Amino acid sequence: MEVIVKKRSRRKISWLRRLLRFLLFLIVLSMLAAVLLLTYLKMEGAPALQVSQTTRLLDANDVIIGESHQGQNRYWVSLEEISEDLLHATLSIEDRKFYDHYGFDPTRIAGAVVANIKSGGKAQGASTITQQYARNLYLTHDKTWKRKFNEMLYALRLEMYYTKDEILEGYLNTIYYGHGAYGIEAAAHYFFNKKASELNLAEASLLAGIPKGPSYYSPQNDFERAKQRQELILRSMVQTGHITSSEAEAAKNAQLQFAISENEDTAAIGPYFQEYVRNLLMNEYNIDEALVEQGGLQIFTTLDRDMQAEAERWVEIELGSTEELQAALVAVDPRTGDVKALVGGRNYLQSPFNRATQARRSPGSTFKPFLYYAAMEHGFTPSSTLLSEPTTFTFDDGRPDYSPSNFNDNYANDFVTLLHALAFSDNIFAVKTHLFLDTETLVETAGRFGIKSELENIPSLALGSNDVQLLELTNSYSSFTNGGKRVEPRFIRKVVDKNGQIIFEKEPVIEQIIDPKLAFIMTDLMTAMFDRSINDYASVTGGSVAHLVNRPVAGKSGSTPFDSWMVGYTPQLVTGVWVGYDLEKRLNHATEGQIAKRIWAQFTEHSLKDDLKLDFHKPPGVTGVYINPKNGLLATDECPVKRLTYFVSGTEPTEYCQDHMPEEDSEVEMTEEDVHKKEKFLDRFIKWFN
């Protein structure tokens, strides 16, 4: 028995010896690897403290319209010039052991690895301040293990050659705080109009939370979320002993006084356009925010700086002194979809909310062209007539009655043509047409034109009751003037990195979606709102601004109690304008209802002053005849009003108007041969006239 025990004891000792030898081997191997690694890093020398490079935005003519200036040399300050509260807040939340480790924290890394394994992703970070500084200087922001390993190597090199204070100073001068502000001095100025040395505890704890997610934790983007992050930082500072609980409570409840940004480059040329481009790069093209702002990119846009200046000028002039009244404008080249000008509000610095791309409002009668295009696809012509009178629509499926009304309760109380209904924006005609077609038809048709907002197949959709975006509505009108093609709005032509390599290039996206003949006829119908010949006997909706534009134009206005719209175009430019209040405040249409039309007319006339006055292209298969616009019949010499109107060949009217014939003539019925002779004469006259 004693022999067996001794044998077991010897085996145990032997196993322990082997384990100790193996552990010793691992230790020696690790030390050797560490020595080799450190030797290699030492041979690499001190890493250069590179500075960020300016990203530039260029217009359609490749002229610079904006720059991201805030690199680390622009607002560099020493540690002594930074608030101690900011230093303590940053260390407490980002790296409590900063002064104790050698560039990375094994405990944090191990914890992050375990958390990532459990979650199956790479969401948990473990970067020290040194690692973050290394990443900002030398690496991308990809969440990969390779990048983390390289990050550690750079961090070790930084720790070898620079002091802790130098690393902390560099970090605080290069970290991104959002809104184009790099470094704490730029951030302090942007958010509070202060120097970094002047930040109090409340301000410092708020700013210290932003770098973790510059857009996510920005107080301008989400104040409540930023405050929650601030409270976390204040608790962390209490735990590290930098402040007391009472000081944390006072800072949490302190009133923050934010400054208005005075970034001259952003405010100078198309600030809403530039901000939208940056958001596109980050959200649609997945380019890292820091790279967009400081990566030395060349961003080639579609903006026409002269058109942009005209847009901003006329918005400012026509809005006048009513500070709450807002406006938005979008101008698009219908041939390519290039956005040439964009105004998202009357003052970007006071309100960066982009009403051209972010807001959705009811478009009113500007939606009717889609309806009437669908009607012509189903057999309507400009001469088709319906009775315009006060009407209540009832439905068999249990839906409530619907009683739309015309503006100012103005009804023809007679049959009117589609041409007349569009020129005078007759709502009864529109709803009757909508219900005749089946309400789903308009939903489908608007979708073909590029309306992506959700639409309901309800009776009031004919009058633009569903909310849409100004950009999508304006761009959708492009199909009427470009021969029936749908174009996608294009803001960015290409993006080139700091080495001259093209990151991506975007060509125009063009697709034939509607009949060119019907597109041209719709354009002809939409010129009627400015037609002075029609204006001889009544006031068309564009009559008040027709004298401001001296070139062929077409379009449609629209209004709701809260909105005023105008979307119009020439062969080379489509422009949409919205005017209204941000809150649910009604417009005074007597004084404010014409502003959108005036902005549109003045902008169109002045932005194209150096361009050719082009006629709309008439495709084959279209015939023009003179009609009486009120009844849609062929006009006679006795008709007081006549208009050259276009039809798909073979659908033009053949009957002459007799409403204005002398009584003795009207009693005599014209023979078929007489009608044929008059038609032949009229055709010859039109051919000679054209």
Side-chain angles (χ1 to χ4, degrees), residues 603-636:
F603 169 76
T604 299
E605 179 66 17
H606 290 85
S607 66
L608 295 174
K609 62 183 182 294
D610 297 326
D611 289 47
L612 293 175
K613 296 180 179 181
L614 302 176
D615 289 318
F616 295 106
H617 173 68
K618 182 171 74 71
V622 172
T623 299
V625 296
Y626 280 90
I627 66 170
N628 180 334
K630 196 169 185 179
N631 59 28
L633 300 176
L634 292 172
T636 66

Short mmCIF file of all heavy atoms in Angstrom, two decimals, residues 603-636:
data_model
loop_
_atom_site.label_atom_id
_atom_site.label_comp_id
_atom_site.label_asym_id
_atom_site.label_seq_id
_atom_site.Cartn_x
_atom_site.Cartn_y
_atom_site.Cartn_z
N PHE A 603 -37.59 83.48 -59.23
CA PHE A 603 -36.43 82.60 -59.32
C PHE A 603 -36.27 82.06 -60.74
O PHE A 603 -35.17 82.05 -61.31
CB PHE A 603 -36.55 81.45 -58.34
CG PHE A 603 -35.53 80.36 -58.56
CD1 PHE A 603 -34.21 80.53 -58.17
CD2 PHE A 603 -35.89 79.18 -59.20
CE1 PHE A 603 -33.26 79.54 -58.40
CE2 PHE A 603 -34.95 78.18 -59.44
CZ PHE A 603 -33.64 78.37 -59.03
N THR A 604 -37.37 81.59 -61.34
CA THR A 604 -37.30 81.02 -62.68
C THR A 604 -36.80 82.05 -63.68
O THR A 604 -35.92 81.77 -64.51
CB THR A 604 -38.68 80.49 -63.11
OG1 THR A 604 -39.08 79.45 -62.21
CG2 THR A 604 -38.64 79.94 -64.53
N GLU A 605 -37.34 83.25 -63.62
CA GLU A 605 -36.97 84.29 -64.57
C GLU A 605 -35.51 84.70 -64.40
O GLU A 605 -34.77 84.82 -65.39
CB GLU A 605 -37.88 85.50 -64.39
CG GLU A 605 -37.56 86.67 -65.31
CD GLU A 605 -37.81 86.37 -66.78
OE1 GLU A 605 -38.52 85.37 -67.09
OE2 GLU A 605 -37.28 87.11 -67.63
N HIS A 606 -35.07 84.91 -63.18
CA HIS A 606 -33.72 85.44 -62.96
C HIS A 606 -32.64 84.37 -63.02
O HIS A 606 -31.51 84.64 -63.44
CB HIS A 606 -33.67 86.19 -61.63
CG HIS A 606 -34.44 87.48 -61.65
ND1 HIS A 606 -35.79 87.54 -61.40
CD2 HIS A 606 -34.05 88.76 -61.91
CE1 HIS A 606 -36.20 88.79 -61.49
NE2 HIS A 606 -35.17 89.54 -61.81
N SER A 607 -32.96 83.16 -62.60
CA SER A 607 -31.93 82.11 -62.63
C SER A 607 -31.64 81.65 -64.06
O SER A 607 -30.57 81.12 -64.34
CB SER A 607 -32.36 80.91 -61.78
OG SER A 607 -33.49 80.27 -62.34
N LEU A 608 -32.60 81.85 -64.97
CA LEU A 608 -32.42 81.45 -66.37
C LEU A 608 -32.21 82.64 -67.29
O LEU A 608 -32.33 82.51 -68.51
CB LEU A 608 -33.64 80.65 -66.84
CG LEU A 608 -33.88 79.30 -66.15
CD1 LEU A 608 -35.20 78.69 -66.62
CD2 LEU A 608 -32.74 78.33 -66.40
N LYS A 609 -31.89 83.79 -66.73
CA LYS A 609 -31.80 85.02 -67.54
C LYS A 609 -30.77 84.91 -68.66
O LYS A 609 -30.91 85.56 -69.70
CB LYS A 609 -31.50 86.22 -66.65
CG LYS A 609 -30.18 86.18 -65.91
CD LYS A 609 -30.02 87.40 -65.01
CE LYS A 609 -28.67 87.40 -64.30
NZ LYS A 609 -28.56 86.27 -63.34
N ASP A 610 -29.73 84.10 -68.48
CA ASP A 610 -28.70 83.97 -69.50
C ASP A 610 -28.89 82.72 -70.36
O ASP A 610 -28.05 82.42 -71.22
CB ASP A 610 -27.32 83.92 -68.84
CG ASP A 610 -26.98 85.22 -68.11
OD1 ASP A 610 -27.40 86.29 -68.59
OD2 ASP A 610 -26.31 85.15 -67.05
N ASP A 611 -29.99 81.98 -70.15
CA ASP A 611 -30.25 80.76 -70.90
C ASP A 611 -31.21 81.03 -72.06
O ASP A 611 -32.00 81.98 -72.03
CB ASP A 611 -30.84 79.68 -69.99
CG ASP A 611 -29.82 79.14 -69.01
OD1 ASP A 611 -29.12 79.95 -68.39
OD2 ASP A 611 -29.73 77.92 -68.85
N LEU A 612 -31.16 80.17 -73.06
CA LEU A 612 -32.07 80.30 -74.20
C LEU A 612 -33.51 80.11 -73.76
O LEU A 612 -33.81 79.33 -72.84
CB LEU A 612 -31.72 79.25 -75.26
CG LEU A 612 -30.38 79.42 -75.98
CD1 LEU A 612 -30.14 78.22 -76.90
CD2 LEU A 612 -30.35 80.72 -76.77
N LYS A 613 -34.42 80.84 -74.42
CA LYS A 613 -35.85 80.68 -74.17
C LYS A 613 -36.35 79.56 -75.07
O LYS A 613 -36.67 79.77 -76.24
CB LYS A 613 -36.58 81.98 -74.45
CG LYS A 613 -36.18 83.11 -73.51
CD LYS A 613 -36.95 84.39 -73.81
CE LYS A 613 -36.54 85.50 -72.85
NZ LYS A 613 -37.28 86.77 -73.10
N LEU A 614 -36.40 78.37 -74.52
CA LEU A 614 -36.73 77.18 -75.30
C LEU A 614 -38.23 76.88 -75.24
O LEU A 614 -38.88 77.08 -74.21
CB LEU A 614 -35.96 75.97 -74.76
CG LEU A 614 -34.43 76.08 -74.76
CD1 LEU A 614 -33.83 74.84 -74.12
CD2 LEU A 614 -33.90 76.26 -76.18
N ASP A 615 -38.76 76.39 -76.37
CA ASP A 615 -40.13 75.88 -76.39
C ASP A 615 -40.12 74.42 -75.94
O ASP A 615 -39.12 73.71 -76.09
CB ASP A 615 -40.71 75.98 -77.80
CG ASP A 615 -40.99 77.42 -78.21
OD1 ASP A 615 -41.49 78.18 -77.37
OD2 ASP A 615 -40.67 77.77 -79.36
N PHE A 616 -41.25 73.97 -75.43
CA PHE A 616 -41.37 72.56 -75.06
C PHE A 616 -41.41 71.71 -76.33
O PHE A 616 -42.08 72.06 -77.31
CB PHE A 616 -42.63 72.34 -74.22
CG PHE A 616 -42.60 73.04 -72.89
CD1 PHE A 616 -43.37 74.18 -72.67
CD2 PHE A 616 -41.78 72.58 -71.87
CE1 PHE A 616 -43.34 74.84 -71.46
CE2 PHE A 616 -41.75 73.23 -70.65
CZ PHE A 616 -42.52 74.36 -70.44
N HIS A 617 -40.68 70.61 -76.31
CA HIS A 617 -40.55 69.76 -77.50
C HIS A 617 -41.86 69.01 -77.77
O HIS A 617 -42.37 68.30 -76.91
CB HIS A 617 -39.42 68.76 -77.31
CG HIS A 617 -39.32 67.76 -78.41
ND1 HIS A 617 -38.95 68.09 -79.70
CD2 HIS A 617 -39.58 66.41 -78.42
CE1 HIS A 617 -38.96 67.00 -80.45
NE2 HIS A 617 -39.35 65.98 -79.71
N LYS A 618 -42.39 69.17 -78.99
CA LYS A 618 -43.61 68.48 -79.40
C LYS A 618 -43.24 67.19 -80.12
O LYS A 618 -42.61 67.22 -81.17
CB LYS A 618 -44.46 69.38 -80.29
CG LYS A 618 -45.78 68.75 -80.73
CD LYS A 618 -46.67 69.76 -81.42
CE LYS A 618 -46.20 70.08 -82.82
NZ LYS A 618 -46.42 68.95 -83.76
N PRO A 619 -43.63 66.04 -79.58
CA PRO A 619 -43.27 64.76 -80.22
C PRO A 619 -44.20 64.46 -81.39
O PRO A 619 -45.26 65.07 -81.54
CB PRO A 619 -43.47 63.76 -79.08
CG PRO A 619 -44.57 64.35 -78.27
CD PRO A 619 -44.38 65.84 -78.33
N PRO A 620 -43.83 63.51 -82.25
CA PRO A 620 -44.73 63.09 -83.33
C PRO A 620 -46.01 62.50 -82.74
O PRO A 620 -46.04 61.99 -81.61
CB PRO A 620 -43.92 62.02 -84.07
CG PRO A 620 -42.50 62.25 -83.66
CD PRO A 620 -42.54 62.80 -82.27
N GLY A 621 -47.08 62.57 -83.54
CA GLY A 621 -48.34 61.97 -83.11
C GLY A 621 -49.21 62.90 -82.30
O GLY A 621 -50.19 62.45 -81.67
N VAL A 622 -48.90 64.19 -82.31
CA VAL A 622 -49.67 65.18 -81.56
C VAL A 622 -50.18 66.23 -82.55
O VAL A 622 -49.43 66.70 -83.41
CB VAL A 622 -48.82 65.85 -80.46
CG1 VAL A 622 -49.57 67.00 -79.83
CG2 VAL A 622 -48.44 64.83 -79.40
N THR A 623 -51.44 66.60 -82.41
CA THR A 623 -52.06 67.58 -83.30
C THR A 623 -52.59 68.75 -82.48
O THR A 623 -53.22 68.55 -81.43
CB THR A 623 -53.21 66.94 -84.09
OG1 THR A 623 -52.70 65.87 -84.89
CG2 THR A 623 -53.90 67.97 -84.99
N GLY A 624 -52.33 69.97 -82.96
CA GLY A 624 -52.83 71.16 -82.28
C GLY A 624 -53.98 71.78 -83.04
O GLY A 624 -53.92 71.94 -84.27
N VAL A 625 -55.06 72.13 -82.36
CA VAL A 625 -56.21 72.82 -82.95
C VAL A 625 -56.65 73.93 -82.02
O VAL A 625 -56.42 73.88 -80.81
CB VAL A 625 -57.40 71.86 -83.22
CG1 VAL A 625 -57.03 70.81 -84.25
CG2 VAL A 625 -57.86 71.21 -81.93
N TYR A 626 -57.32 74.95 -82.59
CA TYR A 626 -57.85 76.04 -81.77
C TYR A 626 -59.22 75.64 -81.26
O TYR A 626 -60.10 75.25 -82.04
CB TYR A 626 -57.94 77.33 -82.59
CG TYR A 626 -56.62 78.02 -82.71
CD1 TYR A 626 -55.76 77.73 -83.77
CD2 TYR A 626 -56.21 78.93 -81.75
CE1 TYR A 626 -54.52 78.35 -83.88
CE2 TYR A 626 -54.98 79.56 -81.85
CZ TYR A 626 -54.14 79.27 -82.91
OH TYR A 626 -52.92 79.88 -83.01
N ILE A 627 -59.38 75.71 -79.94
CA ILE A 627 -60.66 75.35 -79.34
C ILE A 627 -61.15 76.48 -78.46
O ILE A 627 -60.39 77.37 -78.05
CB ILE A 627 -60.56 74.06 -78.49
CG1 ILE A 627 -59.66 74.29 -77.26
CG2 ILE A 627 -60.08 72.88 -79.32
CD1 ILE A 627 -59.68 73.16 -76.25
N ASN A 628 -62.42 76.43 -78.18
CA ASN A 628 -62.99 77.27 -77.13
C ASN A 628 -62.69 76.55 -75.82
O ASN A 628 -63.22 75.46 -75.57
CB ASN A 628 -64.50 77.41 -77.33
CG ASN A 628 -65.16 78.27 -76.26
OD1 ASN A 628 -64.66 78.38 -75.14
ND2 ASN A 628 -66.29 78.86 -76.61
N PRO A 629 -61.84 77.12 -74.95
CA PRO A 629 -61.42 76.37 -73.76
C PRO A 629 -62.54 76.09 -72.77
O PRO A 629 -62.40 75.22 -71.92
CB PRO A 629 -60.36 77.29 -73.12
CG PRO A 629 -60.65 78.64 -73.67
CD PRO A 629 -61.21 78.45 -75.03
N LYS A 630 -63.66 76.77 -72.93
CA LYS A 630 -64.75 76.56 -71.98
C LYS A 630 -65.57 75.32 -72.30
O LYS A 630 -65.97 74.57 -71.42
CB LYS A 630 -65.64 77.79 -71.94
CG LYS A 630 -66.56 77.82 -70.72
CD LYS A 630 -67.22 79.17 -70.57
CE LYS A 630 -68.03 79.23 -69.27
NZ LYS A 630 -68.68 80.54 -69.07
N ASN A 631 -65.83 75.10 -73.63
CA ASN A 631 -66.65 73.93 -73.98
C ASN A 631 -65.87 72.86 -74.74
O ASN A 631 -66.39 71.78 -75.01
CB ASN A 631 -67.88 74.35 -74.78
CG ASN A 631 -67.52 75.09 -76.06
OD1 ASN A 631 -66.46 74.88 -76.64
ND2 ASN A 631 -68.42 75.97 -76.50
N GLY A 632 -64.61 73.16 -75.13
CA GLY A 632 -63.75 72.16 -75.76
C GLY A 632 -63.99 71.95 -77.23
O GLY A 632 -63.36 71.07 -77.84
N LEU A 633 -64.89 72.73 -77.83
CA LEU A 633 -65.18 72.57 -79.26
C LEU A 633 -64.24 73.44 -80.09
O LEU A 633 -63.62 74.37 -79.58
CB LEU A 633 -66.64 72.96 -79.52
CG LEU A 633 -67.69 72.14 -78.77
CD1 LEU A 633 -69.08 72.68 -79.05
CD2 LEU A 633 -67.59 70.66 -79.14
N LEU A 634 -64.17 73.12 -81.38
CA LEU A 634 -63.34 73.92 -82.29
C LEU A 634 -63.84 75.36 -82.28
O LEU A 634 -65.04 75.62 -82.36
CB LEU A 634 -63.40 73.34 -83.70
CG LEU A 634 -62.74 71.97 -83.91
CD1 LEU A 634 -63.05 71.45 -85.31
CD2 LEU A 634 -61.24 72.06 -83.70
N ALA A 635 -62.90 76.27 -82.15
CA ALA A 635 -63.27 77.68 -82.06
C ALA A 635 -63.61 78.24 -83.44
O ALA A 635 -63.04 77.83 -84.46
CB ALA A 635 -62.13 78.48 -81.44
N THR A 636 -64.55 79.17 -83.44
CA THR A 636 -64.91 79.89 -84.65
C THR A 636 -64.44 81.33 -84.52
O THR A 636 -63.96 81.76 -83.46
CB THR A 636 -66.43 79.87 -84.86
OG1 THR A 636 -67.06 80.61 -83.80
CG2 THR A 636 -66.95 78.44 -84.87
#
